[in-house]
Amino acid sequence: MSLSHDLHAHSTASDGTLSPTELMRRAHAAGIRVMALTDHDTLDGLEEASRTAGLLGLGFVPGVEVSVTWGGRTVHIVGLQVDPGSTTLQRGLLGMREFRDWRAEEIGRRLDKAGFPGTYEVACNCSGGALISRTHFARALVQLGYAETVRAVFKKFLVRGKPGFVEGEWAGLDEAVGWIRAAGGVAVIAHPARYGLTRTKLRRLIADFQQAGGVGFEVVSGSHSRDEYFTMAAHARDCGLLASAGSDYHGPENPWIELGKLPELPPGCTPVWRHWSS
Ligand code: AMP
Ligand code: MN
Ligand code: MN
Ligand code: MN
């Protein structure tokens, strides 16, 4: 039995490989009842996804995954049920994409200098003119033969201490949660087990997040292990957070994450979708 809701996924509007339409079709075919689109720092795919989901009779949740700098590290905050027409949210995300454009040029310059030329152009090509992310650089580096796999690229080129790493200067936690709330949405800490935080630090993140008005916690994530479902469920229960579930699907090229395979939330969790109509 797999979960009927998938509240975290990407399309070509950010760093996924399926168009919003293809993503909704695949979700529907996989037996999902309610599907979100949560592209990084953009709302561009939402209209198309919503239209396709409507035609399929698939429940749709308009969302976004906002990049945040907190305590010197990058964390991701998913916004669910956001109004794509919110000017506050749109304006906030525009600033993030401006930073992304500058960062992409800077990553390209650094890789050029380190002896891996031409990545910026190829990464821009991979992004198809949409938002640019490190994922597009990863694909570019593989295409140019500088690395074997997208996984290997991150370790070798794109993380702290490596030649293509540029420090993120993302939204503040308060800002990101504020934009999501201004758009009528619900803020959720994305894949909380992925940040390598100690229990104390994670509790500090949760406290700051709740202080800002955040209410949700992604207990079940495509990037969490079985054990992590249960430890994250305990944090959610202890802190009074609503539980979310999302695959973080980026496309069929990642064979270890497929749509429609998420397990049910562990016992005792209150689903973030408890009062939603679909
Ligand atoms: P960015 O927001 O542009 O810094 O890119 C972050 C994105 O890169 C994440 O959303 C993932 O899709 C991808 N990513 C980050 N780390 C890895 C990794 N180790 N392996 C594969 N993809 C990764
Ligand atoms: Mn991504
Ligand atoms: Mn993320
Ligand atoms: Mn994601």
Side-chain angles (χ1 to χ4, degrees):
M1 176 70 192
S2 70
L3 200 68
S4 56
H5 288 64
D6 186 340
L7 303 179
H8 187 155
H10 299 271
S11 76
T12 46
S14 67
D15 60 349
T17 57
L18 298 184
S19 69
T21 291
E22 290 166 334
L23 179 70
M24 292 301 129
R25 287 201 181 126
R26 195 172 176 106
H28 180 66
I32 290 168
R33 281 199 309 110
V34 178
M35 184 72 199
L37 178 63
T38 58
D39 275 308
H40 298 285
D41 305 324
T42 182
L43 307 170
D44 282 356
L46 296 180
E47 197 186 315
E48 182 187 322
S50 168
R51 203 178 327 116
T52 306
L55 291 172
L56 294 167
L58 171 68
F60 179 65
V61 177
V64 64
E65 182 174 18
V66 184
S67 311
V68 163
T69 301
W70 176 83
R73 58 182 90 222
T74 298
V75 300
H76 287 169
I77 303 296
V78 161
L80 298 174
Q81 302 289 23
V82 295
D83 171 8
S86 160
T87 47
T88 304
L89 179 58
Q90 285 172 358
R91 219 176 303 130
L93 297 179
L94 184 62
M96 314 281 282
R97 293 198 298 275
E98 284 168 0
F99 173 71
R100 283 184 174 278
D101 289 343
W102 172 83
R103 183 188 66 160
E105 290 176 29
E106 182 63 17
I107 292 175
R109 280 191 290 270
R110 291 190 190 192
L111 289 173
D112 283 350
K113 260 195 216 151
F116 307 98
T119 59
Y120 176 72
E121 288 71 20
V122 179
C124 285
N125 228 14
C126 289
S127 80
L131 165 145
I132 189 148
S133 85
R134 280 187 295 162
T135 310
H136 300 115
F137 274 90
R139 291 179 192 142
L141 283 152
V142 172
Q143 259 185 46
L144 288 165
Y146 297 144
E148 288 271 309
T149 65
V150 166
R151 275 224 148 160
V153 170
F154 271 87
K155 270 199 202 145
K156 207 170 147 196
F157 294 97
L158 298 173
V159 295
R160 193 180 297 280
K162 302 300 171 177
F165 180 76
V166 179
E167 189 74 52
E169 288 169 33
W170 307 113
L173 185 59
D174 287 3
E175 280 181 305
V177 174
W179 300 339
I180 290 165
R181 295 181 76 202
V186 177
V188 176
I189 299 180
H191 41 64
R194 283 284 64 75
Y195 306 124
L197 297 170
T198 59
R199 185 188 163 78
T200 312
K201 278 250 172 75
L202 182 55
R203 285 300 177 101
R204 201 168 302 149
L205 171 62
I206 291 172
D208 289 356
F209 173 70
Q210 289 183 306
Q211 184 74 34
V215 295
F217 201 63
E218 210 171 70
V219 168
V220 166
S221 160
S223 68
H224 284 175
S225 67
R226 248 186 81 77
D227 279 0
E228 286 166 345
Y229 300 150
F230 289 92
T231 46
M232 294 303 123
H235 284 296
R237 282 194 302 265
D238 291 356
C239 301
L241 289 161
L242 300 171
S244 189
S247 60
D248 207 359
Y249 186 76
H250 281 71
E253 295 75 14
N254 292 11
W256 55 92
I257 297 181
E258 189 43 89
L259 292 173
K261 301 280 191 225
L262 291 176
E264 300 284 342
L265 292 172
C269 288
T270 308
V272 67
W273 58 86
R274 74 208 181 293
H275 296 318
W276 298 353
S277 52
S278 58

